[in-house]
């Protein structure tokens, strides 16, 4: 990790710069796959699944028998863990349910908002080395609470044409029973345009590689909503003299193992902590199965020594980390100063991995500085808040002049007439 | 208006089809302007302002003197109307403020969300024939309630280099005092990249023509958030035998006057209402200042006769109108069946124009079927909901096994270690 000691504020920008994410070179390839699926439907899905996943899939939708067989394969220990995680995630997201509150803005004018689940949503779960069954819980549970009527899940098959049993079990646990063995750009295309096997949806959620990310961008331009723009995962840790170097090192490594493009930043007011964390990283790194990935990510990561907490918070708000860990004495009061972050972990006993899996908060969070303007996934992501208003005869009279004066001034006479025709009736 | 009597469900799709919105042909032009502003800053803004608005602007930011002069020019009657509208909008949006609620998902694990205003937001207000000061209220008021620290407003100057006084007054009324005389693609570019005069923002709000819409799409691809994708404004009215044909006609005309690309749909269970509404439209149309525009929009609009209310609601949920007016006897119970709409107006005395200006609800709403997945602008649009979690030593112990079992199964050992290093300490 590169160490920057007391950089000046004008230097922050270059220190905090993220690698440029440019998917434009993939656009042509991705567009071609999207177009083929739009035109040729399931046939195109079969061709791409053979080409990219190396397997011929006849029926994309998983059967009840396949689901039962997969559920049998998951160990009792993992089932118990997933049930506990699901219970916490459900509790946290159920607390986000809002009942409509009617506001009488003027006598006879009642206005309210009502949250209605998005009718059709699609969840994408990547395949590959790490089966992300935790993401199934993070997306499936709020989708069910929101009351989305049609929830489908797409994930790429392995070389035997199967999905990881834990992914299927997680889907079962959340109540999702339409699961499709299709991945990559072709899965995003299927959920965007619909095929004979796979229904089109109104919003697509879930992580993916750069091809999937580019496909989601194209889906968005076609009018399908997406959860948020994506980038490599990242953590920023603020640590002071009270921080345990082993805890800090473990937190940095847990982010670094995600991928060599992961980003890890340590901001500290303690010069002596720096060496200790570096030493602990060296000690812990060798025993990690994914040590090469973690070492690669750390090579692009930074340790920044700052003068005081206020400077640390200015710098961290500038960075807008996906995950922000406050490993320091006054963690609670610093948390109140966070303006830009996806999810904040307060104190020495709140590692990111608690939130990644099981504390109850959502792990689908804004990366790449998007925390300046975007929230992580929550119940809100699966509903639309529709506004309603009901005016009585008297209510309309009370507001008539206000509306007509403004409408005429904006040059929209018919807007005024819609009020006048009622008042004059 | 075209009349469709008892169409079958397979026919709905073609009847409800909206004109295709394809901005791709504008992309080149718009990209060029965006690039020029990115590279040349204020100089490019001056060049484009001269070219498109026909005026040389030295200082883009409006001075205090200009603001005071504009405020003097607004009539007392209009000020009173805008103050009343602002009070209602403020009341409705203040009720959307949520206090953080701490959820203890397990003993020793406290999780919550906190809404933090987006630091820097930009509001775009179009110029042209109709000065949309009402949109200043609709965007400025929730931005102020959200606590956004930097709120700027851009709007194109007229041929004399001024903004409409009511736009400036509306900004004053909401507390916005950084107002810039720049419009079109160049304004969106300035808010995306920043120039010497105009700061870059994290999220851009507001309506605009197809060039502005295309510019906002490009801004979004550059990482700046936008309020929502845009399309022509539209209304759907459901009316039964109890509806007053003059009210219905006035509502249809109030939407039709927006632009010749506006969309207007009447769905009814009453065959005899159709002729009466058509007759009333003919009568009311001639006295409208914008009758040519309204007539153009009506030529592309439809009246659909359905068998019963349930069919009407199915059809209307399929359409997903920006504005939905329920002019019928059982309006309240039908409102509970709305799944897809931006804003719903219940009963005979709730014209769309009430919500457009002054009832308190927001008028920035999803068009073009986006109501299937998007909400209108609200306080939510101006905040990020950051998640926080704080685990005690015991809390981490309670969840340790759940996290480590799941992390190892996903192949992410360092995630498990971040818990173990703490537990074993």
């Amino acid at each position: 990790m590169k160490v920057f000691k007391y950089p000046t504020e004008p230097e922050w920008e270059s220190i905090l710069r993220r690698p440029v994410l440019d998917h434009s070179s993939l656009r042509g390839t991705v567009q071609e796959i999207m177009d083929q699926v739009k035109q040729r439907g399931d046939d195109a899905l079969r061709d791409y699944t053979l080409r990219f996943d190396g397997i011929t899939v006849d029926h994309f939708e998983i059967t009840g028998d396949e689901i039962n067989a997969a559920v049998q394969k998951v160990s009792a220990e993992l089932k118990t863990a997933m049930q506990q995680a699901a219970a916490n995630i459900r509790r946290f997201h159920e607390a986000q349910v809002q009942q409509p509150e009617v506001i009488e803005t003027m006598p006879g004018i009642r206005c309210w908002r009502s949250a209605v689940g998005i009718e059709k949503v699609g969840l994408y779960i990547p395949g590959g080395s790490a089966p992300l069954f935790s993401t199934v819980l993070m997306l499936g549970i709020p989708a069910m609470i929101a009351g989305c009527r049609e929830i489908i899940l797409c994930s790429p098959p392995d070389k035997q044409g199967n999905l990881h049993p834990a992914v299927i079990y997680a889907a079962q646990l959340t109540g999702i029973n339409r699961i499709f063995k299709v991945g990559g750009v072709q899965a995003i295309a299927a959920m965007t345009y619909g095929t004979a096997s796979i229904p089109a949806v109104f919003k697509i959620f879930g992580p993916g590689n750069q091809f999937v990310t580019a496909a989601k961008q194209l889906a968005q331009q076609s009018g399908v909503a997406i959860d948020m723009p994506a980038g490599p995962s990242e953590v920023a840790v603020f640590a002071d003299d009270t921080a345990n170097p082993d805890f800090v090192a473990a937190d940095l490594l847990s982010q670094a193992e995600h991928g060599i493009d992961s980003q890890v930043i340590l901001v500290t007011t303690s010069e002596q902590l720096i060496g200790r964390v570096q030493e602990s990283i060296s000690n812990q790194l060798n025993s990690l199965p994914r040590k090469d990935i973690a070492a690669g990510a750390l090579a692009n990561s930074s340790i920044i020594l700052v003068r005081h907490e206020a400077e640390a918070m200015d710098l961290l708000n500038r960075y807008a980390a996906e995950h922000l860990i406050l490993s320091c004495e006054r963690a609670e009061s610093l948390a109140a100063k966070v303006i830009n972050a996806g999810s904040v972990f307060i104190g020495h006993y709140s590692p990111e991995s608690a939130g990644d899996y099981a504390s109850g908060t959502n792990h689908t969070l804004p990366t790449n500085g998007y925390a300046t303007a975007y929230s992580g996934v929550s119940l809100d992501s699966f509903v639309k808040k529709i506004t309603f208003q009901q005016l009585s005869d008297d209510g309309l009279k009370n507001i008539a002049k206000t509306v007509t004066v403004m409408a005429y001034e904006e040059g929209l006479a018919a807007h005024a007439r819609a009020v006048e025709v009622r008042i004059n009736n």
Side-chain angles (χ1 to χ4, degrees), chain A:
Chain A
M1 295 176 83
K2 287 179 281 275
V3 178
F4 299 91
K5 292 190 179 177
Y6 307 119
T8 60
E9 205 240 302
E11 294 171 302
W12 292 359
E13 189 177 335
S14 69
I15 295 172
L16 297 175
R17 187 170 292 147
R18 294 165 165 97
V20 176
L21 301 170
D22 186 1
H23 303 301
S24 56
S25 63
L26 310 177
R27 278 270 162 101
T29 308
V30 173
Q31 186 75 63
E32 166 70 13
I33 299 173
M34 298 283 284
D35 291 345
Q36 284 291 317
V37 173
K38 186 176 183 179
Q39 289 158 29
R40 297 175 46 234
D42 284 346
D43 287 344
L45 293 186
R46 283 192 191 91
D47 290 350
Y48 288 119
T49 302
L50 181 58
R51 192 194 303 178
F52 298 127
D53 302 305
I55 180 80
T56 300
V57 173
D58 288 328
H59 297 285
F60 292 104
E61 186 161 4
I62 286 185
T63 65
D65 286 348
E66 286 178 282
I67 291 174
N68 292 337
V71 169
Q72 298 293 325
K73 283 189 194 141
V74 177
S75 73
E77 186 181 49
L78 182 57
K79 281 180 181 165
T80 302
M82 287 169 69
Q83 287 163 9
Q84 179 65 65
N88 290 352
I89 297 164
R90 193 170 290 121
R91 194 163 297 134
F92 187 65
H93 289 78
E94 275 176 349
Q96 295 164 16
V97 174
Q98 282 184 280
Q99 294 308 321
E101 183 192 357
V102 177
I103 308 296
E104 192 164 12
T105 53
M106 285 176 80
I109 303 179
R110 300 165 68 242
C111 303
W112 66 96
R113 292 195 305 165
S114 184
V116 178
I118 297 173
E119 262 187 296
K120 303 174 186 189
V121 299
L123 315 184
Y124 183 74
I125 304 296
S129 57
L132 295 182
F133 54 82
S134 59
T135 303
V136 180
L137 302 181
M138 293 291 176
L139 300 176
I141 290 171
M144 292 297 292
I145 296 170
C148 299
R149 297 183 181 201
E150 183 158 72
I151 306 170
I152 68 169
L153 189 156
C154 291
S155 192
D158 64 18
K159 296 270 185 270
Q160 287 72 47
N162 299 316
L163 300 189
H164 192 284
V167 167
I168 296 174
Y169 177 71
Q172 279 295 94
L173 197 54
T174 60
I176 299 169
N177 46 33
R178 298 208 70 188
I179 305 169
F180 297 91
K181 291 186 277 195
V182 62
V185 174
Q186 59 273 24
I188 303 301
M191 293 193 278
T192 301
Y193 304 116
T195 71
S197 297
I198 299 174
V201 300
F202 296 141
K203 191 167 184 176
I204 298 172
F205 295 79
N209 61 20
Q210 54 187 346
F211 290 92
V212 168
T213 297
K216 283 172 68 183
Q217 284 181 347
L218 291 175
Q220 188 178 34
Q221 284 170 45
S222 302
V224 176
I226 64 171
D227 45 1
M228 69 185 83
S233 194
E234 64 200 17
V235 72
V237 179
F238 173 68
D240 66 9
D241 272 327
T242 69
N244 181 317
D246 293 334
F247 297 4
V248 172
D251 288 340
L252 297 174
L253 286 166
S254 76
Q255 187 59 51
E257 77 172 340
H258 268 297
I260 52 163
D261 57 357
S262 285
Q263 293 170 23
V264 169
I265 285 180
L266 170 61
V267 178
T268 182
T269 47
S270 168
E271 186 156 12
Q272 62 179 7
L273 187 76
I274 295 174
R276 293 176 186 169
V277 169
Q278 288 176 312
E279 193 185 328
S280 185
I281 287 176
S282 300
N283 293 339
Q284 294 185 47
L285 184 62
N286 277 325
S287 66
L288 289 179
R290 294 164 74 96
K291 65 179 171 187
D292 292 341
I293 292 172
L298 290 172
N300 298 316
S301 295
S302 303
I303 298 175
I304 307 168
L305 180 65
V306 296
R307 285 166 190 80
H308 43 67
E309 283 178 352
E311 191 178 33
M313 292 312 296
D314 283 348
L315 188 146
L316 290 163
N317 280 323
R318 187 79 65 87
Y319 183 63
E322 180 191 10
H323 305 96
L324 171 60
I325 302 178
L326 300 173
S327 285
C328 56
E329 191 169 15
R330 304 187 330 113
E332 271 186 271
S333 65
L334 286 192
K337 297 196 168 71
V338 174
I339 298 171
N340 295 319
S343 198
V344 182
F345 299 78
I346 301 172
H348 301 303
Y349 289 91
S350 305
E352 186 201 310
S353 49
D356 286 342
Y357 288 108
S359 63
T361 59
N362 209 290
H363 78 195
T364 305
L365 295 164
T367 56
N368 196 39
Y370 295 125
T372 50
Y374 291 87
S375 309
V377 163
S378 72
L379 186 63
D380 300 341
S381 314
F382 292 91
V383 301
K384 305 148 301 162
K385 293 188 180 168
I386 303 175
T387 49
F388 291 84
Q389 63 200 280
Q390 186 167 31
L391 281 71
S392 67
D393 189 354
D394 281 343
L396 187 61
K397 279 184 194 136
N398 289 335
I399 207 174
K401 188 159 186 205
T402 295
V403 174
T404 55
V405 165
M406 290 176 73
Y408 282 121
E409 185 71 24
E410 284 195 352
L412 297 173
H415 281 63
R417 301 280 170 86
V419 172
E420 291 167 343
V421 70
R422 286 168 163 93
I423 297 294
N424 299 335
N425 186 54

